Amino acid sequence: MKKLFTSESVTEGHPDKMCDQISDAIVDAIISRDARGRIAAETTVNTGYAMIMGEITTSCYIDIPKIARKVILDIGYDKAEYGFDGNTCAIITSIDEQSPDIALGVDEKTNSNNDIGAGDQGLMFGFACNETSEYMPMSIALANKLAKRLTDVRKNGILRYLRPDGKTQVTVEHEGDVVKRVDTVVISCQHDPDVSQDQIKKDIIEHVIKPIVSPELLDEKTKYYVNPTGKFIIGGPQGDSGLTGRKIIVDTYGGYARHGGGAFSGKDPTKVDRSASYAARWVAKNIVAAELARKCEIQLAYAIGMAEPVSIMVDTFGTGEFSDERMAQLVYNKFDLRPSAIIDALNLRTPIYKQTAAYGHFGRTDIELPWEKLDKVKALQSGI
């Protein structure tokens, strides 16, 4: 049976992604000086200003306005004509300490295990499939790579007329669970006012789409839509407000798998929204790499202050080598999914987060991320 599935991504100059990067740059700055700092930093941007707010408890000092300006300038918003300039925009901060009620649940316990509890209640999902070498759905893998390529050709001078904001979208045709072809590619890219749309479309197909999408996936029926509205000059915070955590589907599996609802960026690893989602991806990817399933989704759930997850669910969508119930027991036996154990196993008290805040947290080939490692394959195979 033929089906079409679509995923989207955005560039680092998209206003929501600007906010994610600022928030995660703050996380990195604190963790690099105070590995046990507690951070819940959110950012919003609009024309002429960025505001950083949230709860931070740390023993170190960081210059939040300086960090925010550096992120904005590194993205490429360094000219007033772009509608946003990191040199001159206002930076507003509103920071409190972490609630002591939350801290009670997260601080190390006085019991014999000295465990930390989950920083909140909630449910988190992880997913993997064998559609790509990265164990990601093809649609989101391509959308993220196209978004990254859109930024690369701007920054390396291939397409100098591009500006930082942009979006990509890829529709993939499947036959059953098998990827057959790319049906549609949509790219919206911010640009200088003096370039024609015909030139933009020609350049985007030649310098962005063709280097990323395998020719075997493209055919004469593939549709290309570049700047469908006709122009895209006003973008970034001038064109739309931005907010941390508003691109959670872009960050994960492009809508192909379920999502628990919690954002990642701006949060230290005691927040299970982040760390347990990374752990669930780690589990799912190792299961698929071990060839125990062609497709695997993991759900973890936690109660605030409690170390052990309250539930572990495995769904292999009928592709598993044995029952999902047995698979869940195997996961329980082979993975320690307490927050402290996840933090230790994945080395999450290190400043690795800003690099995840654009182009996806999973399936990355341009950076090394600890939850992408395949270190449990043999253990899973031997535990069957």
Side-chain angles (χ1 to χ4, degrees):
M1 182 179 69
K2 186 177 82 170
K3 66 178 181 180
L4 300 175
F5 191 86
T6 302
S7 297
E8 73 159 349
S9 186
V10 298
T11 67
E12 63 191 46
H14 185 282
D16 291 333
K17 275 291 147 210
M18 292 174 63
C19 294
D20 287 343
Q21 290 166 91
I22 292 169
S23 294
D24 270 342
I26 291 167
V27 173
D28 281 356
I30 292 174
I31 286 181
S32 66
R33 297 165 176 81
D34 175 12
R36 296 187 177 273
R38 300 280 167 73
I39 311 123
E42 298 191 49
T43 304
T44 183
V45 295
N46 207 336
T47 304
Y49 80 91
M51 180 176 182
I52 297 95
M53 54 201 154
E55 298 78 44
I56 296 176
T57 301
T58 180
S59 60
C60 71
Y61 168 78
I62 61 167
D63 188 336
I64 290 177
K66 184 177 180 180
I67 291 168
R69 290 189 192 281
K70 184 177 188 309
V71 171
I72 294 164
L73 292 170
D74 286 348
I75 289 169
Y77 287 110
D78 54 3
K79 298 178 182 179
E81 66 187 272
Y82 289 176
F84 201 83
D85 183 356
N87 293 298
T88 58
C89 68
I91 305 291
I92 305 164
T93 60
S94 178
I95 304 294
D96 292 315
E97 289 187 337
Q98 183 183 59
S99 162
D101 295 342
I102 296 175
L104 280 173
V106 181
D107 288 340
E108 290 186 356
K109 304 292 186 179
T110 55
N111 61 30
S112 59
N113 293 326
N114 285 325
D115 255 340
I116 64 171
D120 200 355
Q121 70 176 48
L123 51 135
M124 300 84 206
F125 286 95
F127 180 79
C129 64
N130 63 0
E131 283 188 14
T132 65
S133 60
E134 304 96 327
Y135 299 95
M136 290 288 285
M138 180 66 77
S139 54
I140 187 63
L142 290 177
N144 278 331
K145 289 177 181 178
L146 287 169
K148 179 67 164 59
R149 178 66 180 173
L150 200 57
T151 294
D152 289 344
V153 297
R154 170 176 62 88
K155 287 187 167 181
N156 65 22
I158 293 176
L159 300 180
R160 295 182 182 276
Y161 58 77
L162 291 181
R163 293 182 177 184
D165 201 353
K167 300 180 78 171
T168 64
Q169 185 173 288
V170 179
T171 301
V172 173
E173 180 182 314
H174 298 76
E175 195 169 289
D177 286 334
V178 179
V179 171
K180 302 301 291 185
R181 56 185 290 274
V182 169
D183 183 80
T184 308
V185 180
V186 183
I187 295 185
S188 296
C189 50
Q190 187 187 15
H191 59 86
D192 290 346
D194 57 354
V195 59
S196 72
Q197 292 303 313
D198 288 341
Q199 183 67 49
I200 293 172
K201 182 172 183 178
K202 178 184 175 183
D203 287 345
I204 292 298
I205 291 173
E206 185 66 27
H207 296 291
V208 177
I209 297 174
K210 286 185 178 180
I212 295 299
V213 184
S214 171
E216 289 78 18
L217 294 173
L218 301 172
D219 57 31
E220 68 281 357
K221 294 183 179 180
T222 300
K223 298 178 285 293
Y224 304 99
Y225 298 115
V226 178
N227 287 359
T229 64
K231 65 177 181 178
F232 185 3
I233 297 169
I234 298 172
Q238 184 184 25
D240 192 9
S241 61
L243 183 65
T244 298
R246 206 157 56 179
K247 286 291 178 284
I248 59 176
I249 301 303
V250 171
D251 285 343
T252 53
Y253 308 102
Y256 201 93
R258 286 172 280 196
H259 197 294
F264 303 156
S265 292
K267 297 176 182 178
D268 74 81
T270 67
K271 314 294 192 294
V272 283
D273 278 341
R274 179 164 228 161
S275 54
S277 294
Y278 291 165
R281 161 65 177 174
W282 176 43
V283 174
K285 185 177 179 181
N286 275 268
I287 287 173
V288 175
E291 299 184 345
L292 301 183
R294 298 190 304 277
K295 187 185 299 186
C296 181
E297 185 174 75
I298 306 292
Q299 187 203 50
L300 305 175
Y302 294 83
I304 187 168
M306 305 300 293
E308 293 283 348
V310 299
S311 70
I312 300 173
M313 183 277 292
V314 178
D315 188 349
T316 60
F317 306 93
T319 70
E321 292 297 304
F322 43 86
S323 72
D324 290 345
E325 182 181 4
R326 185 178 167 195
M327 196 82 77
Q329 187 60 49
L330 180 62
V331 170
Y332 182 82
N333 293 338
K334 298 299 180 181
F335 293 88
D336 188 343
L337 296 170
R338 295 171 300 142
S340 59
I342 292 170
I343 290 169
D344 290 343
L346 301 181
N347 196 23
L348 297 183
R349 294 194 192 274
T350 51
I352 58 173
Y353 298 109
K354 180 183 173 292
Q355 62 183 341
T356 68
Y359 315 116
H361 293 246
F362 307 124
R364 298 287 294 273
T365 57
D366 56 320
I367 55 177
E368 290 189 14
L369 297 170
W371 48 89
E372 294 293 314
K373 61 185 178 180
L374 297 174
D375 58 335
K376 292 286 189 177
V377 170
K378 290 184 180 179
L380 287 167
Q381 291 171 334
S382 66
I384 298 173

